[in-house]
Amino acid sequence: MPSVFAFDAIHLRYHQWGHGPAVLLCFHGIGQDGRVFAPFGDSLASFFTIYSFDLFYHGQSSGLNGNTYAEHEALTPDRWTKLLDAFLTEQTIDRFSVAGFSMGGVFALATAERFSHRIDRLWLLAPDGISTNGWYAFATGSGLGRTLFRYFLNHLPLLQRLSNTLVRLGWLDRSLLRFAQSTLATPAQRERVYRSWIGFRPLRPQLDTLAKVLNQSSMRITLYLGEYDRVLPKTAVEPLLRRVPSAQVIVLPVGHNRLLEAIAKRIDERLG
């Protein structure tokens, strides 16, 4: 059953599975909620007690007075650290492991940087947050970019025509376009993507600083990637791999959307 952790006018909803002696914190991808890690709860229940969070703008996590976390309140690393530290204190959690899928990789990396001395394992599952492409940087990094981003989301046919042109020119992968279309299909989805891109931007790490922390830590770092994943392929994580040579890479024969299920089975086999 889901539960809610309240702290500093924030209500963070989480799902809990398992009864294992170790703790695993999980962070989901764009358009999902904490329930997406249910396969981990099925496979890893004897190894971990799993806490899987509904990230802001997704699921039932909320901010002031029960309203969705406000658009202008970007989630800074300091605020995330205070929130998560309070959660760990309430649950009497000392050491733990972290898993982050897709967008949740941003949260996993921010957590690893701030709590490196307490983390045993870091599982990055086709993670976002390592490479920043030019489109994202422009759309979130300036007032003009955010205005145009909002405009195109409010005029979806124009965005679709632009995207199709970029695909024809070879500047945008067709698989990535299909993923974008599935996450932008409704006004609610488009609002969620906009708020997530803007609100979570401060959590994206500085790679050199992050790599220094990871290289000095004792955590075991594993990246799980999909062989047919065009949304977040191996090229997206190579900047981190060059800086953290101890990180292990496991490539599974699936695409982006089937990756979590495949990973849950693979981790089960490795731990069992």
Side-chain angles (χ1 to χ4, degrees):
M1 291 293 292
S3 302
V4 175
F5 170 67
F7 175 77
D8 191 24
I10 290 173
H11 294 82
L12 186 65
R13 192 173 192 244
Y14 63 94
H15 309 261
Q16 184 174 341
W17 301 284
H19 49 79
V23 170
L24 177 64
L25 308 184
C26 297
F27 305 105
H28 63 77
I30 192 79
Q32 301 173 333
D33 61 36
R35 293 173 296 178
V36 76
F37 277 95
F40 279 50
D42 295 336
S43 298
L44 307 179
S46 61
F47 300 104
F48 291 100
T49 299
I50 299 171
Y51 300 89
S52 182
F53 301 94
D54 286 2
L55 300 179
F56 297 108
Y57 319 120
H58 297 71
Q60 299 300 315
S61 289
S62 60
L64 188 62
N65 298 324
N67 296 321
T68 303
Y69 198 76
E71 178 180 339
H72 65 279
E73 292 185 80
L75 187 58
T76 65
D78 285 344
R79 193 168 194 188
W80 172 246
T81 299
K82 291 176 182 177
L83 174 61
L84 186 58
D85 188 53
F87 174 82
L88 296 171
T89 299
E90 181 178 274
Q91 299 293 332
T92 64
I93 296 170
D94 181 20
R95 300 198 63 81
F96 57 96
S97 295
V98 177
F101 171 62
S102 196
M103 178 190 72
V106 174
F107 284 80
L109 292 168
T111 301
E113 183 173 343
R114 292 301 184 100
F115 294 89
S116 62
H117 58 294
R118 299 171 63 178
I119 295 177
D120 296 318
R121 301 173 187 263
L122 174 62
W123 290 330
L124 299 171
L125 322 175
D128 191 10
I130 294 173
S131 297
T132 300
N133 64 44
W135 298 112
Y136 176 88
F138 175 71
T140 64
S142 67
L144 175 61
R146 289 189 289 272
T147 298
L148 290 174
F149 184 23
R150 170 68 81 182
Y151 177 83
F152 278 113
L153 290 179
N154 289 337
H155 297 80
L156 194 59
L158 179 60
L159 178 61
Q160 290 173 336
R161 290 196 295 272
L162 175 61
S163 300
N164 289 331
T165 299
L166 294 177
V167 169
R168 286 195 299 271
L169 292 173
W171 296 352
L172 181 66
D173 186 272
R174 188 171 298 278
S175 297
L176 186 57
L177 174 59
R178 287 196 295 267
F179 176 79
Q181 289 172 335
S182 69
T183 58
L184 299 173
T186 68
Q189 287 177 307
R190 294 193 286 275
E191 184 68 17
R192 182 166 54 213
V193 167
Y194 178 83
R195 292 193 174 202
S196 298
W197 277 30
I198 302 301
F200 300 156
R201 187 174 186 271
L203 289 183
R204 300 178 76 90
Q206 294 293 323
L207 274 189
D208 288 337
T209 302
L210 172 66
K212 182 178 180 180
V213 170
L214 295 181
N215 286 325
Q216 292 176 347
S217 76
S218 61
M219 75 179 76
R220 296 172 58 184
I221 304 168
T222 306
L223 287 87
Y224 287 89
L225 307 173
E227 181 179 356
Y228 309 114
D229 189 346
R230 298 296 179 266
V231 178
L232 286 163
K234 187 177 180 180
T235 54
V237 303
E238 286 176 347
L240 182 65
L241 295 177
R242 290 194 295 268
R243 293 169 170 84
V244 186
S246 63
Q248 182 182 13
V249 178
I250 297 175
V251 180
L252 301 179
V254 294
H256 193 73
N257 292 332
R258 299 295 301 275
L259 191 57
L260 279 184
E261 182 180 350
I263 291 170
K265 186 176 185 300
R266 178 61 181 263
I267 291 176
D268 184 22
E269 293 173 348
R270 290 169 62 83
L271 293 178

